[in-house]
Amino acid sequence: MASERKRIGWRWGVAAMVGLPLMYVTSYAPVVRWRSPAPSVVLGKKSSNASQPAFYRPVEWLIDNTPASGPLMLWARVWGVEDEIRVTSSMRRLFR
């Protein structure tokens, strides 16, 4: 009985260690979508100056500095915020 509890606990621990970070990273695009004000038109492009909470700075770092930006941009496209995320990423790099 005790060994079965350990096996179940171990599985939940692995699921939490994988699932929670994955949910955190994939929640960035929906948050951008929900926090964005109505887009304004600047030079024919959508533009949004909505800043994201500091809570998501690690995800922004992933987008700016790692190959994980590819899958994250695909996920952002699903949510319709790929252009906004690309623009804010470029601005972060520009103003470093």
Side-chain angles (χ1 to χ4, degrees), residues 28 31-32 34-37 47-53 60 84 88:
Y28 181 69
V31 167
V32 170
W34 292 325
R35 287 181 54 94
S36 294
S47 172
S48 170
N49 293 327
S51 61
Q52 299 311 315
E60 292 173 346
E84 290 179 50
T88 55

Side-chain angles (χ1 to χ4, degrees), residues 6 9-10 15 17 23 25 27 32 34 39-40 47-48 52 57 64 70 82 89:
K6 285 183 183 180
W10 180 82
M17 289 175 56
M23 287 188 326
V25 170
S27 70
V32 170
W34 292 325
S40 61
S47 172
S48 170
Q52 299 311 315
R57 292 229 173 93
D64 295 344
E82 180 182 18
S89 176

Side-chain angles (χ1 to χ4, degrees), residues 23-95:
M23 287 188 326
Y24 164 68
V25 170
T26 57
S27 70
Y28 181 69
V31 167
V32 170
R33 174 74 174 181
W34 292 325
R35 287 181 54 94
S36 294
S40 61
V41 177
V42 177
L43 300 175
K45 300 268 186 181
K46 288 184 188 179
S47 172
S48 170
N49 293 327
S51 61
Q52 299 311 315
F55 178 72
Y56 284 105
R57 292 229 173 93
V59 179
E60 292 173 346
W61 182 87
L62 285 172
I63 291 168
D64 295 344
N65 300 303
T66 69
S69 65
L72 290 172
M73 285 298 134
L74 290 173
W75 183 239
R77 186 181 304 162
V78 169
W79 284 92
V81 293
E82 180 182 18
D83 291 338
E84 290 179 50
I85 292 175
R86 284 195 191 282
V87 167
T88 55
S89 176
S90 296
M91 290 176 66
R92 283 191 300 270
R93 281 190 238 127
L94 182 64
F95 293 112

